[in-house]
Amino acid sequence: MILNFSSFVKTNISKTSSFLIYGENQGRVEECSTIVINSMKKIYGAINQIYLSSDELKKGVFSKLYSDSNNHDLFGNKNIFIISLQDQKAAKEIVETLKIKKTSFAILIIKCVQLKKTSALRTFFEKSKENLIVPCYEENETDKRNMIKDFFSSAKLNISVHEINLLSGLLSNERLEIKNELNKLIIFIKNSKKDVKESLNIISENISENIGQLIFFLASRDEFNFLKNFFKSKDIQNDHVKLINSFSDHLLKILEVKDKIKRGHEKSFAIKALRPPIFFKYLSDFTRQVDLWEEKEINHFLRKLYICQSYHLKNFKSNKFTLYFLFLKILNLKKVI
């Protein structure tokens, strides 16, 4: 059964045991996952959270785990499996297992970035009456304005409709990024005693442009310029979500162009067809990057970036160093894998 994000947050999910949550808006994906976990804590008390990734789901692993889940853990706690799928290799086994074992004592949460309409997982969950699927699209203007209003209300700060509109125009459409920027803004306002309009410049006059340039240096494996610009801004260094999302999007663009070239299109045509388009000043760099990166390298690092994002969302202390090491690996090696 399909539920949009707004309906999901208001729905009683106590009788549901399997959830598929997917989409480019990873902030919404994680929020839905947290809602499920907190709801199950209220119902069952102590729970046992088991985190798994695609790399851990070798053939037969999910089927065995799900079969064994009819037992509680050693302390009698409810098992919750939280699976982050970076690819769809385990999708067929998951679907076949859920079809056979329609009831389970365990709770299953599957998180994905994008799923094609033909995806076996997506098709199964959409047709199922017992299981829930929640697509998590980017925030629209109304969503952003409501988030801003709620943030300021919780912080007991006043904000006008005009200021909400101004702020909404500066923010991205990704929930995690919006939350990070609003948290920074509210802390700044409280400490500086300035009003909202005076504080808007900390959201980022140039941060998007700076990150865009930084991503191009990284994709070109230009170590000198990347490191020089990276260490100029603490905001950029600390905004792991924006770095991961921006670089992932960039790699996906290169992959899209390479796919079109493979299907017979001219390279220049394939690049011009990208939406949003590549800015003219970056065009020659991007053209070189299409030749520089191999498909297997792109797929490898997309998986690694997704893992870094998962570590960040779970507040792993090692996440910062894992991400930085990944960047250095890209910059320093001619062949990265």
Side-chain angles (χ1 to χ4, degrees):
M1 182 170 63
I2 308 171
L3 282 180
N4 62 33
F5 177 77
S6 301
S7 300
F8 176 79
V9 296
K10 300 172 186 173
T11 299
N12 180 1
I13 57 173
S14 60
K15 294 182 180 178
T16 307
S17 60
S18 296
F19 303 83
L20 174 60
I21 310 166
Y22 77 95
E24 64 270 17
N25 193 338
Q26 287 296 288
R28 282 192 173 189
V29 171
E30 291 306 321
E31 198 163 310
C32 289
S33 177
T34 301
I35 287 170
V36 174
I37 292 168
N38 289 339
S39 175
M40 297 308 160
K41 282 179 180 177
K42 287 180 182 177
I43 297 167
Y44 300 106
I47 59 171
N48 182 34
Q49 297 176 52
I50 304 163
Y51 289 90
L52 298 163
S53 67
S54 294
D55 294 339
E56 295 171 284
L57 293 178
K58 306 299 181 188
K59 189 174 180 180
V61 170
F62 177 79
S63 180
K64 185 175 187 312
L65 281 172
Y66 204 66
S67 297
D68 293 345
S69 69
N70 282 330
N71 303 314
H72 291 72
D73 71 0
L74 292 172
F75 303 100
N77 300 327
K78 188 82 167 178
N79 288 318
I80 298 187
F81 294 101
I82 302 115
I83 299 177
S84 296
L85 287 185
Q86 296 87 34
D87 55 52
Q88 296 297 296
K89 291 176 184 175
K92 185 178 178 182
E93 183 179 331
I94 291 172
V95 169
E96 288 175 352
T97 304
L98 292 176
K99 282 180 179 177
I100 295 168
K101 303 181 183 300
K102 293 188 177 180
T103 58
S104 172
F105 290 119
I107 305 299
L108 175 64
I109 302 170
I110 304 171
K111 301 185 295 185
C112 304
V113 179
Q114 286 289 16
L115 286 175
K116 294 179 180 178
K117 288 184 179 180
T118 54
S119 158
L121 266 177
R122 182 170 167 179
T123 302
F124 172 74
F125 273 82
E126 285 179 348
K127 291 180 178 178
S128 170
K129 292 181 180 178
E130 297 82 19
N131 307 308
L132 282 180
I133 178 170
V134 188
C136 295
Y137 305 116
E138 290 186 337
E139 310 294 324
N140 58 37
E141 285 302 310
T142 302
D143 296 327
K144 288 199 285 185
R145 288 169 188 151
N146 287 335
M147 281 183 71
I148 294 165
K149 188 177 177 181
D150 291 343
F151 256 76
F152 275 78
S153 176
S154 297
K156 296 181 170 54
L157 291 172
N158 294 322
I159 186 168
S160 69
V161 173
H162 176 65
E163 288 168 336
I164 289 174
N165 293 337
L166 279 176
L167 186 48
S168 177
L170 288 172
L171 295 168
S172 75
N173 297 323
E174 208 287 321
R175 200 172 189 85
L176 275 178
E177 291 178 12
I178 294 169
K179 285 184 174 181
N180 286 343
E181 296 294 343
L182 289 176
N183 279 324
K184 285 193 291 186
L185 180 62
I186 284 170
I187 290 169
F188 180 81
I189 290 171
K190 285 186 172 181
N191 289 333
S192 67
K193 308 300 182 186
K194 292 183 178 180
D195 62 26
V196 176
K197 198 168 183 179
E198 291 175 309
S199 307
L200 286 181
N201 64 331
I202 78 144
I203 286 293
S204 70
E205 285 180 335
N206 300 310
I207 193 167
S208 294
E209 173 65 19
N210 290 342
I211 284 186
Q213 189 178 54
L214 197 67
I215 293 307
F216 267 84
F217 289 142
L218 181 59
S220 296
R221 302 179 195 171
D222 183 344
E223 182 179 5
F224 175 78
N225 280 312
F226 176 83
L227 294 177
K228 183 178 76 172
N229 286 271
F230 182 71
F231 290 111
K232 274 184 180 179
S233 171
K234 287 290 181 186
D235 283 341
I236 290 177
Q237 290 173 46
N238 294 328
D239 202 341
H240 297 162
V241 172
K242 190 180 283 289
L243 281 169
I244 291 168
N245 287 345
S246 298
F247 191 52
S248 297
D249 287 346
H250 192 86
L251 290 179
L252 285 169
K253 284 182 180 178
I254 296 174
L255 195 60
E256 183 181 339
V257 170
K258 292 182 81 69
D259 181 62
K260 285 181 178 175
I261 293 171
K262 200 192 307 184
R263 289 189 278 119
H265 294 287
E266 291 288 332
K267 187 194 297 181
S268 59
F269 172 83
I271 293 173
K272 285 178 183 176
L274 288 171
R275 293 292 179 271
I278 303 298
F279 288 135
F280 180 76
K281 67 177 180 178
Y282 293 134
L283 203 53
S284 60
D285 288 332
F286 186 83
T287 304
R288 285 195 295 272
Q289 289 164 14
V290 172
D291 295 326
L292 179 64
W293 286 82
E294 295 180 7
E295 282 189 32
K296 63 178 182 179
E297 293 174 339
I298 295 171
N299 290 323
H300 172 78
F301 279 101
L302 283 172
R303 286 195 295 271
K304 293 292 184 183
L305 288 163
Y306 189 86
I307 290 168
C308 284
Q309 189 175 62
S310 300
Y311 286 175
H312 175 78
L313 294 168
K314 294 172 190 174
N315 293 318
F316 285 6
K317 291 181 180 179
S318 62
N319 175 62
K320 176 180 177 180
F321 302 103
T322 303
L323 183 62
Y324 290 1
F325 178 76
L326 199 62
F327 289 162
L328 288 172
K329 189 174 181 181
I330 293 167
L331 292 166
N332 288 326
L333 296 178
K334 291 181 180 179
K335 287 293 177 185
V336 293
I337 60 170

